[in-house]
């Protein structure tokens, strides 16, 4: 993040975007390796078979997904005393146990971002992927940025990326859009289901194509500036667009990011704020404009921080010299939050009855299945519980710890028989 002319901050969005384009990177190398050794069939479909992973020779396999967030403004199945149990003849069907995440990295390609783009390149495979890949979550990365090998473009190397800066399905995709200092929210909105800005997104694929309906969406914004918006507050406008179900069809399809009352996205920020004074713009420890050393951001990124605070995301300073801990924190935050959350999705035509749901856990995906009892204790000691509106199953206590540390964990959900509940403790 080289020192920039801060007098540009008052210019209009169009001028700002034009300047960003004028000094953008040279080279835009568009260009697969399939999933790993069958991947973990654990977190995908339940009922014994699971969702199958990818095949091929990459170090990443395939799974399946969900979670959520928020924002701004009795006994078992047996009969007693020889009487006939009303559930003795019950039949079960399997529900999908979804715990997947789509991680959308949004990276500013403007003139001042060369140092930061280097840090993204050097840390994504070393500090981010090992943590997320060592978890039971079915994960996917989508880069929304200019792809290429120039100073201001992003080339993700294997094992996450494909050959020649290419995609690596099912784990990695790029939407090739040149992101300016202040226009990321507008570019994300305009190029979601169709490419509306070919000047900045030449030959790009809409990023909606890479998302899954039942996954939790995690944004990671990397910029040293502030977003602009045509209307109200940028953060609030973007949140309303993500969660507004009354928008015209396709912008966005209902449910991908949740609703105003039940959001399914988290927003992390690597921005120009000063951790010691959040309203101030950061400077690196070696910053000296006279000597031409160090870095200074253009803006503290207050709007991005607002989204992060409201959705439980992490805010980090772009002026930090070592980004490995930032990438570790974001990856660990995703794993801790989503490893033990599952959304049961009944087969088509069936409805979910929260009183007739049971859970099994198969260690390493191939071990002996273990029946998991619903925990009646508050707080939970071991087993599983419903969230408040009985739409998500939350593994808790010792079981959550086991699953979180088991990259191939298999969680199955059966519907149709009375829920088996553990004893109070």
């Amino acid at each position: 993040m080289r020192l920039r002319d801060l007098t540009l901050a008052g210019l209009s969005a169009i001028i700002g975007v034009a300047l960003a384009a004028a000094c953008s990177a040279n080279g835009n190398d568009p260009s697969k390796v399939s999933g790993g050794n069958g991947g973990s069939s654990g977190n995908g479909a339940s009922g014994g078979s699971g969702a199958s992973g990818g095949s091929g020779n990459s170090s990443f396999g395939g799974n399946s997904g969900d979670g959520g967030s928020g924002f701004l403004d009795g006994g078992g199945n047996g009969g007693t005393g020889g009487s006939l149990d009303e559930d003795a003849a019950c039949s079960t069907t399997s529900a999908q146990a979804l715990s997947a995440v789509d991680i959308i990295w949004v990276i500013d390609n403007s003139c001042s971002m060369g140092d930061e783009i280097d840090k993204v390149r050097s840390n994504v495979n070393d500090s981010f992927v090992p943590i997320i890949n060592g978890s039971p979550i079915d994960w996917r990365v989508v880069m929304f940025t200019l792809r290429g090998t120039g100073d201001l473009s992003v080339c993700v190397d294997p094992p996450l990326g494909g050959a020649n800066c290419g995609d690596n399905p099912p784990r990695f995709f790029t939407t090739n859009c040149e992101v300016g200092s202040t226009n990321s929210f507008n570019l994300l909105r305009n190029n979601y289901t169709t490419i509306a800005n070919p000047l900045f997104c030449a030959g790009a694929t809409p990023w909606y194509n890479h998302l899954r309906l039942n996954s939790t969406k995690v944004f990671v914004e990397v910029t040293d500036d502030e977003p602009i918006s045509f209307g109200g507050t940028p953060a609030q406008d973007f949140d309303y667009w993500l969660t507004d179900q009354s928008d015209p069809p396709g912008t966005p399809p209902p449910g991908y990011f949740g609703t105003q009352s039940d959001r399914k996205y988290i927003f992390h920020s690597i921005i120009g704020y000063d951790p010691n004074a959040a309203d101030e713009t950061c400077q690196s420890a070696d910053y000296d404009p006279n000597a031409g050393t160090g870095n200074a951001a253009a803006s503290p990124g207050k709007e991005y921080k607002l989204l992060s605070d409201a959705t439980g995301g992490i805010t980090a300073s772009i002026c930090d010299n070592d980004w490995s801990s930032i990438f570790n924190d974001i990856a660990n935050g995703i794993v801790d939050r989503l490893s033990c959350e599952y959304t049961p999705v009944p087969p088509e035509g069936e409805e979910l009855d929260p009183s007739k749901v049971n859970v099994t856990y198969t260690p390493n995906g191939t071990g002996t299945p273990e029946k998991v009892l619903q925990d009646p204790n508050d707080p939970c000691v071991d087993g599983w519980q419903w969230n408040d509106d009985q739409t998500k199953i939350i593994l808790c206590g010792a079981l959550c710890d086991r699953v979180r540390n088991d990259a191939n964990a298999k969680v199955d959900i059966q519907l149709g028989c009375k829920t088996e509940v553990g004893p109070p403790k």
Side-chain angles (χ1 to χ4, degrees), residues 101-107 128 140-145 173 175 188 192 207-208 210-212 215-222 238 242 256-257 264-268 334:
V101 60
D102 297 334
I103 307 158
I104 304 111
W105 288 78
V106 185
I107 302 171
F128 181 79
R140 173 176 295 181
V141 169
V142 179
M143 285 279 181
F144 189 91
T145 191
F173 303 89
T175 289
L188 285 167
Y192 178 52
W207 58 287
Y208 157 70
H210 307 311
L211 304 182
R212 296 164 293 178
S215 66
T216 294
K217 312 304 184 293
V218 173
F219 293 90
V220 185
E221 180 86 29
V222 185
F238 188 63
L242 288 174
Y256 270 67
F257 302 95
K264 287 170 52 179
Y265 81 90
I266 305 163
F267 197 95
H268 300 298
I334 293 170

Side-chain angles (χ1 to χ4, degrees), residues 203-389:
T205 300
W207 58 287
Y208 157 70
N209 291 13
H210 307 311
L211 304 182
R212 296 164 293 178
L213 173 61
N214 290 303
S215 66
T216 294
K217 312 304 184 293
V218 173
F219 293 90
V220 185
E221 180 86 29
V222 185
T223 182
D224 65 350
D225 216 323
E226 193 78 66
I228 57 101
S229 180
F230 300 102
T233 304
Q236 194 171 52
D237 285 350
F238 188 63
D239 171 70
Y240 284 166
W241 172 72
L242 288 174
T243 58
D244 187 358
Q245 305 305 308
S246 64
D247 273 358
T251 55
Y256 270 67
F257 302 95
T259 64
Q260 289 284 304
S261 60
D262 183 20
R263 285 169 178 78
K264 287 170 52 179
Y265 81 90
I266 305 163
F267 197 95
H268 300 298
S269 304
I270 305 176
I271 52 175
Y273 94 116
D274 184 341
N276 298 314
D279 290 338
E280 300 295 327
T281 301
C282 68
Q283 298 176 352
S284 63
D286 59 344
Y287 174 65
D288 184 342
N290 296 319
T293 59
N295 303 310
S299 166
K302 296 179 182 179
E303 294 294 319
Y304 300 117
K305 188 176 187 302
L306 179 62
L307 275 176
S308 294
D309 291 345
T311 61
I314 293 168
T315 302
S317 176
I318 205 167
C319 294
D320 287 354
N321 289 326
D322 182 5
W323 281 26
S324 60
S325 61
I326 296 175
F327 278 58
N328 286 170
D329 288 346
I330 292 174
N332 281 317
I334 293 170
V335 171
D336 289 346
R337 185 160 177 170
L338 300 181
S339 290
C340 299
E341 276 191 15
Y342 294 86
T343 300
V345 180
E348 186 175 355
E350 296 189 26
E351 294 186 3
L352 180 68
D353 181 347
S355 68
K356 295 183 178 181
V357 174
N358 288 286
V359 178
T360 60
Y361 160 57
T362 304
N364 199 38
T366 58
T368 302
E370 302 174 11
K371 182 181 296 184
V372 180
L373 301 181
Q374 185 179 21
D375 190 321
N377 300 285
D378 186 15
C380 180
V381 177
D382 190 18
W384 69 273
Q385 292 182 339
W386 287 109
N387 67 340
D388 290 341
D389 62 1

